[in-house]
Amino acid sequence: MQTRSKAAEPEQPLSPGSEAGLDEMIVQEPLSDDEPDNVSEKTQHIPEQPASEQKAMLMQTRAQHRATATELCEVSYKPTEELFVNLPLSKTGNIVEDPERTQEINMDDEATDEETDTWRCFACKEDLWSSGSVGCDGCSEWFHVGCVCNISEEQRAILASDEESPWFCSDCKDRTPSLLSQALTEGRDKANDVLLSTPKSNSDLTEPVTNYVECNIPPVGTSNGDIAKAKWGKLRGLDILSGVNAAYKKVVKWQRNIFQVPSGKAGKAFIEELTKAVNYFTASSNLEAVAMTMTMILPPLLLQKPSKNSKSKDHVLHLEKRLEWWRNGDLDLLVKEGDAIQKRLLRRKVSRADNKEKMFIRLMLLGKVSAAMRWVGEHSTSVLDINSVTETVVDGRVVKQKVIDTLKEKHPDPEPSQEDSLLQGPKDKVEDVIYQNIEGELIERCAKQISGSAGPSGLDSDGWKRILCSKQFGPASRELCNAIADLSRRLSSHYINPHYLHAYIACRLVPLDKKPGVRPVGIGEVLRRIIGKAIMLVTKNDILNATAPLQVCAGLSGGAEAAIHAIRSMYEDDKIEAIILVDADNAFNRLNRQTALHNIQYICPEIAPYIVNTYRTPARLFISNTDEEILSQEGVTQGDNSAMAKYSCSLMPLINIVAMKCADNNTKQVWYADDAASSGKLNGIKQWWDQLQQNGPMFGYFPKPSKTWLIVKPGLKERAAKLFPDVKITDEGHKYLGSFIGTPEGMDNFINNKVSDWMKEVDDISDIAKREPQLAYSGYIYGLSKRWNYVCRTTPGISYQMKRLDYKIRESFIPAILNRAYSCTDVNRRIFALPARDGGLSLYNLSETSDMEYQFSCQATSGLTEAILNEHTEYHEDFQRTKDIKEQITKTRKQFFKCKRDELVSELSPAQKLQLDLASEKGASSWLTTLPVKEFGYVLNKQEFNDALALRYNMNMKDAPRQCFCGETNTVNHLLMCKTGGYVHLRHDSLRDVFAELMRNAGCKDVHTEPNLLKTDGVQLPAGSNTKDDARVDISARSFWNPLERALFDVRVLHPQAPSNRSHKDIPSMYQHHENEKKRHYNARILQIEKATFSPLVFTTTGGMAPEAQKVLKRLAEKTSRRKNQRYCDVMTFLRRRLRFDLLRTTIISLRGYRGKVHQLSSANIDGLDLNLDPTDQVQM
């Protein structure tokens, strides 16, 4: 080690470079020539202590060092935003002692080292002072102690006792690991004696000796930004810093009251300002220190709804005004206006379980199926008041505790790292070019896939989707996506000052009722979720290479299912005596964060920079609806897409240690996050369990015996009880990852209990279906059915037990959505069990499909299951093989339902068979498979949905008159053919107008309806042509097929069950007949006289369309896609749904519309009345 002393120079300024920034700079005290004796004197007086006391002493010492650091900085140690407001920064982002020194430091930057005779730190380029400088013996460069993070307490003791001991910086350490290892080995015994006073034998110990050390976390990189030189509107320098952080402190306490970003200039201007704020950070500008905080405060400050019933016009006016304030730096005006609005907001009512139907309906209308299904059955919950008292069962005892105390307990203080838990050796260098795959298109795709509530800033996933993905904002959205992509690349490849990211990593904390207990749910910023998802997608293969196949939670396709299949195979092996299923205590919040950040640099260096940037400093958790906040200092943060990747990588050293030490006992293991499972002989499992308990805590994994189950084979329970006195033991089996491992009897009990719970949930959603059948049906298909589909895929031989659930669906749910008081017939039940595309309702008979789905799951996960069973250390998924297997599964499933349909068709009448064929046409079922999103107009009321199902299956309508006004019997077929009331023309005219509107949106010119054709003037036309002078078609448009060329269209909506249409042998011939009839009337005349093209648009009342109409629709989708810059598939889906819903509504109107005479009631003529002189008003005054 080299030393340097310049006593006359001022003390070194402190750097907030890492989470341990203030700690490390004081923990590793400066080692000068006159101090070794003092240091040795301090350490020599440490008595022999057990590990727990050593740990406490180390934590106390760190607190004392932190206090000393705050005294040097002349500030108190405060939460991140307060510390950051009060501490001025130098050009590189380092904290200086007072504002007057900023100018002096910047002046020094203009001079060279030779001119000022000043030595500079190689990391931060600032002056070196006598306190806290250390020289590298590899490259001879000098560093501030606070700028390097690889000096452990052990090394510090070595250097304190021997100045000549070698020390290497991070770069040299990676190049010459053997030298560092040699230095540590030579001084290890001496360091233990000096630093920890290690006893010489186990007989002297009351507890095992634990060496707590500092982790090697990369230092913060340099920055070109200088907040002291920053300008923003009328604000300058540190006023920007204090103003932004003060505004953030306000807005995180506000209720969510944000309006949708309006389209037009104001909306584009808002997105441009958001893009500027992101670019301030990515460009390392002078505003870098506050850029991320500006990004988070901009939405709540500028998008506050002025009143409860404010309209879009009001929003535009207020946004324009606030944008001007923002550009001028008038944060005070923005905050004052926001405070005034917030004070007049009523405190939102806490969601309660008794309002679950209202919550279900509201969320379903927004398309949030997963959130809505939480309010069905026993999954409904409520938000707890932080001052309320809850009861929790702990080790069989009922413990009463305040919610706030429980939350703090679940987020513990950080634990120091132990030497044996840290990986050593060279690190793989990652080239930054791999992150170039993070582009604007990827950010847009990730934003579309993100869902959920807002973080502390108040802008939820729908708001971010709109500003990132909406085509209404044009280039502004694309520029913002590109800016976020640049931000993602920087966070992935550079080590950032953690104080710059405090708003980015903050979360909102919601305490939910766990019944009993408290479930803390963290909601991170949506921007963090989008960026995290993009980074995880780019580095997915690297994460899998680091964790698979033993840890299956980090993005493996079918990972949980493969783990279940593997454990079941182990249990069924005759050589296996037992399976142990381990759960950890508060697993995700107790993971040792510092150890994880150190080790992840070796395990998966591709994600290490991003993980270090987002976890090196504690995250602030703002408790919803309160002014309370706590810190997340250990584990992983909820609401972070990278949390599972970090957790899985962090446990890999533990998994490998346990596997290595149990290599001779033939135990096998598999992990899904914190859920560990192992199989083997009882003695081998005992050794595995002991190793897990011994080594787990140093990584922050604390196995909990009271939550751990040992599944033994029959006859081994007594022996197992002696080996595992604290673990729960069963010889029947236990649930595992949502399935069951154990005996057939135990599995029957498990499935019967599950079926009973599902039957209650079917009853709940059936009750909702009596009032909102469309919402209940969509909730069943896209939410409720997935709960038992997973169990069917992971549990064999349950078809018999599923018959109870089939009966409940038939007797409760189907009558509810059909609005019938009785169950459906056997034939109808078999029809409803078909997929929607085959004419059914996708209400499958689970007793017929459960075993088939289990076989499909086994096939799809066979490769991963085999790797787990064979204990492979690496797993590389064969994507082509997986794709082939999935394609084969799809073919097999389609063939299964085709056979079911063929069997059913043979038993149907010709009319029923035709109806089933009509319901199977492409696009005919789109109204069923579309989520009822109110914004898109896809919602049907109770009667409309019931009538639509009656129309689909040609059933009698409920509560309809028995006789039509025309005198005929009132049936569905008659009502769709009866011309009384004008409803036949209504279907035609509505579809015509929709097509004309869509053509205008696609960019066609001169679009108009009912154009008259040119007169024939004696031109000879083929027989059957329409030669009338007043002949006309439905739609005329130019530039549809070719530029400026005129195209004419004529619409026809037919009812397939009409007697005239039943004469055709099949549906294609029926379409051909009607298309040919239209062409015979108009084609020759239009081609010869109009010199234009003609296309007939033939549709059916059941939603089908003829081939010519399909060609027109494809061309329309192609033009719209190019003009709107939207994907072709998205446009085509929208067009099909738009046409289908319009046709469905007009058809339903014809079923219920009034057909009688309109009686003229005598009433006053409004034109001759003075309404303001009504005597009634005078009487009521």
Side-chain angles (χ1 to χ4, degrees), residues 19 55 59 62 410-417 586-597 615 617-619 621 631-638 646-647 697-702:
E19 184 251 337
K55 170 184 168 182
M59 300 301 289
R62 294 179 68 183
K410 287 181 176 290
H411 295 84
D413 292 334
E415 295 285 339
S417 298
N586 197 17
F588 290 98
N589 288 325
R590 295 190 69 182
L591 180 74
N592 192 303
R593 185 173 292 184
Q594 293 301 305
T595 300
L597 296 184
Y615 282 97
T617 192
L621 307 180
L631 293 178
S632 171
Q633 304 176 79
E634 283 284 74
V636 295
T637 305
Q638 293 188 39
K646 177 199 171 187
Y647 191 87
M698 66 181 176
F699 295 96
Y701 184 85
F702 298 86

Side-chain angles (χ1 to χ4, degrees), residues 265 274 379 467 483 603 950 1059 1088 1100 1142 1154:
K265 293 183 179 179
L274 198 59
H379 296 265
I467 62 179
I603 298 170
Q1088 295 181 35
T1100 66
D1142 181 82
Y1154 181 73

Side-chain angles (χ1 to χ4, degrees), residues 898-909:
K898 183 179 183 301
C899 293
K900 290 290 182 182
R901 190 178 188 277
D902 293 341
E903 293 175 5
L904 179 62
V905 166
S906 63
E907 303 175 17
L908 299 178
S909 64

Side-chain angles (χ1 to χ4, degrees), residues 715-733:
L716 298 175
K717 194 171 183 179
E718 183 177 349
R719 179 184 161 202
K722 295 179 181 178
L723 291 173
F724 299 88
D726 299 329
V727 173
K728 295 183 178 180
I729 302 174
T730 177
D731 55 4
E732 289 189 358

